[in-house]
Each structure stands twice: as C-alpha cells, then as structure tokens.
Amino acid sequence: MIGACLRFWPIGRLGLTHFDEGIYALTASWVFHPRGLSGLDPTLISYAPPGYPILAGLAYAVFGASDGAMILVSQLAGTITIPVVGWLARRTFGPGTGFAAATLCAFSGSHIAFSRMGLTDASSLLAWLIAIGAGMRFLEQPGMIREIALGIGVGLAQQFKYNGWLTGAIVVGTAILGPIVRPEDRRSGPTLKTFGWGAIAAGVAWLVVWPWYRFVEGHGGYSALLRHQRSYLGGLDAWWPHFQIQADQSVALSGGGCLILPGLCLAGLAPWLVRPSSTASGLSRIGRTLIAYSYVLLSWIFVDAPYWPGLVLAPWLLTRPRPSIRLAGVWWLVLSVMSPFYHPYARLWLPYHAVNWLLLGWLVVDWFGTILSAPPGPAVSRNKARRTIRAGALIVLFACGATVHFWTTASRKAHPLTGLLDRGDSLRWACIKVGTLLPEDVNGLRVLVRPSVTYYLPDRVALRPLSGLEQAELPGEPRTWLLVDSAIVRSELGGAYPRPARNLLDRFANYWELVEEIPTNLSLPTLLDLDPGAARRASADRSAPLWLFRPRRTRTQR
C-alpha cells in the first residue's frame, strides 16, 4: 500500500517528459490500427521490443488514448514488483527476508522514479524478476512444467527489453557453476537433467521471441538492430567512468533521507517479525546501541550502492549448496561486469538494484536478527562471546564499506536530487498553451522537439519535423510557425550547457520572432539521461522551456 501511494502520487498529475516516452505513446496506438499488432510502427524497433507498447495499447483500449493510461501500466507493474521481490527473497533466503526486501523495493527512489514514467523499465523489471524466479524453481527441481515456465519467462523478459536474454544467461551460468562448487554433482543425474530440460527451455524462449524477430527482419533486419545496439557499448576504457556515473545516478535518485530512513526503519522490523520472542535480551545497552548504529550506517550506505553487498557476499553466495542462492550471486556478478559497458543510463541499474534488495534483506534478517536475538536461559552466556565477535566484525566491515563508498561517490560530490515525487504534467499543459497561441490561419508548424511534445501537440495543425538546428534557423513558408524544444537543443549542444536556447535567439533573429517562452520541467530520470553530470550538482537545472516563433515580417510586409 505504501509503495503504491509513492508510485501513484500525485494522481492525475503525471505526464510524459522523456525522449523515449513519446515513441512508446505513439506506437501504443497499434490498438486502433486496422491491422492490429501487425501495423505496429517500426520506429519502435531501435528503442525497445514490443512488450510495453503492447500493454500500453491494451490500456488505451480500456481507458482511452492518454498519457495517464501509459503511465498506469508502469505504476501497476512497479506496485506488483514489490510482492514479487518479497516472494523471491523469501524463497531464496528464508522467512523475514521477503518483508525486508519488499520494503526496500517499496521505498527505492530509483524504482519509484521509473514507475511514474511511460517507459518500459518498470514492466521490464517485473518480467525480469518473474524469469529469475522461474529459473530458481527450475534449478531446484528440473522438470517439464518448470522448463516451460522458464522458457516463457526468459522470452517475456526479452520482449520487454533487449537485455532480457541475460536472465537466461544467469540461469545457465548458475547451472554450470553447480558442478564446479559441488563436485558430487558432476556426474549425477540431476546435472544432466538440468541441461537437458534447459535446452528445451531455450527453445520455448525462442518461440516467444520469434514473432518480434520476424517483424524486425521485415523492417530493416535484426543485424541492423544489433549494430545500432552495439553503438551504445563502450570498451574497457569506458567501464570505470560509466560505473562512476551510474553510482552517482543511484545516489541522485535515492530520494535522500526522506525515503531511505523510513524504509530502513520498517525493514529493520523483519528480525522481530521472525523471532519476536527472543530480542536482544542477552546484550548490554551499549552493545545494542552499537549494533543499531552499525545497521543504520550499513543500510544507509548500501541501499543506494548495489555493488557493495554483493562484493562482500559474493564468495559466500557462489558456493552455497542451494541453487537459488548461487543464482543470486551469479545475478549480481553478471550485472556488475556487464552493465557499465553500456551507455550509463540510470534505468539500466534497476535489475542491479533488485538483487541488492534481496541481499540487504538477507543481511537485515540473518546477520542482525542473529546478533540481536538471544535464546533464553543458559544459552545466553554460551553464545555471548560469539555474538560479540560477530558484532565487532560486522561493525569493522561496515566501516570499510563506508570508507570505500564515500571514496567512490561522496568524494565526487554526488547528491540526492529533490523533486522525485513532484507532479510531472508541465509538458502537457505547455503543449495545450501552444495550441491556443497558434492562429487559425497557420499553414503548418515546424518542430524541433522531443517525441513527447509531438504526442501532445494538437491535431489541427500540420507538423513538419526538423532534423537539427541548422534547418530550424532557415526561413519557412508563409504562415508557417516554428516550435523549438530547449531539451533537444541541450542534447545537441551538451546536456550540461546552461539554458542554451537563450543563446540561440540571436541566430533565429533574421527570420523568426519569439512569440512566447513556455516553461516546462524535466523529470529527474530525463534530466540524468540528458545531463549525467547533474548527479554531482546539488541544484541541477531541470527547466526545459518550449520556444514558439512566428516568421519575422519583412519591410515590404510591414
């Protein structure tokens, strides 16, 4: 309930601001096309698979074509993700962990931010977690039903995002790791059964992906898509800078203490929910204070730094007898290595945050629950030394983690950005105002804007898209106006360049006259995509006004 409130607030006052949101909103109109899904706009291919636009189209059919229907899909997917995370954590690490992990998910600033946008990421994460859960069940007990579920899960993950195949790679990596860490399984029946059924699961996944593959082949070819996707990849020299940027973005989207502290306090109840009758009676007041302090310190640092819990726990995770625990370790390891190679978009770390919720939930329940709990009677004195040593080691571990974390983020002055729960409909109202300012006899509107602006502009005027600033500066036809989006200009001239469109007014002065500057604001994820360095500035410029121009009259016209 708390997670839903954070993702839906303020109701009816969210809108589209991201560059990609407009593409998804426009392609979701497939539901009104006579050919249905076969008439899906091929423009979508270079952005994402069709999973999210299909759901958005169904939302259009039920609620009507609107930005609210688009965002509703993400809000529902983000809310459903919370109990799914709880289910994964409980079945992986045991009772209590589900409550702690679900709480961390509910209060995750990054997940809240993308659950309030018309992007594919919230629904993609849900599909990812379902595929991971199916993989855990399959590895624990291979069989026909679980093999089919795994194949469908991996296929659906791939249908929501082009990196969805990693869920299958994680399951395969875990299956290969099993005989390595457990020599007794090298020649056993379960291992052969796992790989045999796994091959069939791969075939099922391919059948799920096949329709989209055929669609792409008919509109440019999958090889062209792969070349486009590879353009976002960097080499080894880009890995560390990308990692630093993504770490800064995690801090920027964390929500700060307003979200982190309530989430930690609620998640900290998990040990008492599991063992309510044996709480800390064997520890001194000083010991309980130190442990509580170390818990807050650890969680505050790690909750927006998903790499550190896995780094500390990876040797233990990868060698456990239970396949589901080993899968969590492989999950963390694969994303740790591969994510920074890609362009540093904050949304790509959502699956990375998800495994962090599981690991932190286990730390809260197992480590702190064990330390804080004490069995009654003589067992208190027998276990006192062990608990004291464990508590001291834990505090030292937290101090080391704090030092390294501050070295990688705080030393570069990463800041939690404000406005995570602000209303986001300024672009919609700005486009409505543009419609009121256009005269009735306007012959057309030349636009250099985000696709989201195109989605919102009124249908009564013919739009003439421009490819760049050079075209925008040229004179247009009589009675043709010009609309320039400063977010596009910032993207072309460099996202960190402050209010660049103002410097372009002189360049437009020969042929165009400014009618009005219409203010709009960027959402935090949009700002970080446009200007990744904003994560290091306490007050980043989120303004992205629209500039409406009309043709400048010549002396003869005057």
Side-chain angles (χ1 to χ4, degrees), residues 200-537:
I200 299 177
V204 174
W206 173 245
L207 290 177
V208 176
V209 178
W210 173 254
W212 180 244
Y213 175 82
R214 292 296 304 163
F215 183 86
V216 175
E217 282 292 302
H219 296 84
Y222 216 88
S223 59
L225 172 62
L226 292 177
R227 285 195 299 271
H228 173 75
Q229 291 294 317
R230 282 196 293 268
S231 66
Y232 291 97
L233 293 174
L236 289 174
D237 57 335
W239 191 94
W240 179 243
H242 287 180
F243 180 87
Q244 290 178 310
I245 292 174
Q246 287 174 317
D248 292 341
Q249 290 173 337
S250 295
V251 176
L253 293 175
S254 66
C258 295
L259 277 179
I260 295 177
L261 284 179
L264 295 178
C265 292
L266 190 58
L269 298 177
W272 282 267
L273 294 176
V274 179
R275 292 181 287 267
S277 61
S278 58
T279 57
S281 58
L283 294 176
S284 66
R285 182 180 303 176
I286 296 177
R288 291 197 298 267
T289 303
L290 289 175
I291 292 172
Y293 174 77
S294 63
Y295 162 67
V296 173
L297 178 63
L298 167 80
S299 303
W300 181 283
I301 293 169
F302 283 171
V303 77
D304 58 12
Y307 42 91
W308 283 116
L311 187 62
V312 172
L313 299 174
W316 181 85
L317 293 171
L318 296 174
T319 57
R320 291 300 90 193
R322 288 190 58 192
S324 57
I325 297 179
R326 292 200 303 270
L327 188 145
V330 174
W331 177 2
W332 175 87
L333 184 62
V334 168
L335 294 186
S336 297
V337 174
M338 297 192 65
S339 294
F341 281 111
Y342 205 79
H343 187 82
Y345 293 125
R347 55 186 181 272
L348 295 182
W349 261 25
L350 279 182
Y352 204 22
H353 282 291
V355 69
N356 184 50
W357 302 329
L358 269 64
L359 299 182
L360 281 177
W362 177 79
L363 285 174
V364 170
V365 174
D366 185 81
W367 285 22
F368 291 100
T370 302
I371 295 171
L372 290 175
S373 63
V380 173
S381 57
R382 291 197 301 267
N383 294 330
K384 185 176 181 180
R386 182 185 303 174
R387 293 197 310 272
T388 303
I389 294 174
R390 192 171 184 179
L394 203 57
I395 293 173
V396 171
L397 176 64
F398 300 166
C400 295
T403 302
V404 179
H405 177 71
F406 284 123
W407 174 70
T408 57
T409 55
S411 62
R412 300 194 312 276
K413 299 181 180 178
H415 300 276
L417 297 181
T418 59
L420 191 67
L421 300 179
D422 287 353
R423 58 184 298 176
D425 56 352
S426 62
L427 189 60
R428 181 203 309 152
W429 291 107
C431 293
I432 292 174
K433 188 169 185 179
V434 168
T436 63
L437 293 173
L438 293 175
E440 292 294 333
D441 62 343
V442 68
N443 190 36
L445 183 63
R446 307 173 77 199
V447 292
L448 182 63
V449 296
R450 287 164 278 170
S452 301
V453 178
T454 305
Y455 173 78
Y456 280 129
L457 287 175
D459 295 332
R460 67 178 179 84
V461 59
L463 302 182
R464 303 178 183 180
L466 305 175
S467 60
L469 284 172
E470 294 77 10
Q471 289 189 1
E473 296 172 18
L474 298 177
E477 301 175 2
R479 295 185 292 110
T480 300
W481 288 37
L482 172 67
L483 183 66
V484 177
D485 183 356
S486 63
I488 291 290
V489 179
R490 289 178 68 174
S491 177
E492 290 195 14
L493 301 183
Y497 192 70
R499 299 183 67 79
R502 288 197 174 280
N503 300 326
L504 296 175
L505 294 180
D506 293 338
R507 296 168 59 176
F508 286 90
N510 291 331
Y511 303 106
W512 300 100
E513 179 182 355
L514 180 64
V515 176
E516 189 164 344
E517 172 185 304
I518 308 170
T520 75
N521 291 322
L522 302 172
S523 64
L524 291 185
T526 305
L527 172 66
L528 293 176
D529 277 4
L530 185 64
D531 178 15
R536 303 183 187 180
R537 296 193 296 273

Side-chain angles (χ1 to χ4, degrees), residues 107-119:
F107 286 89
S108 170
S110 295
H111 191 248
I112 291 171
F114 290 106
S115 297
R116 294 157 53 88
M117 301 184 69
L119 293 174

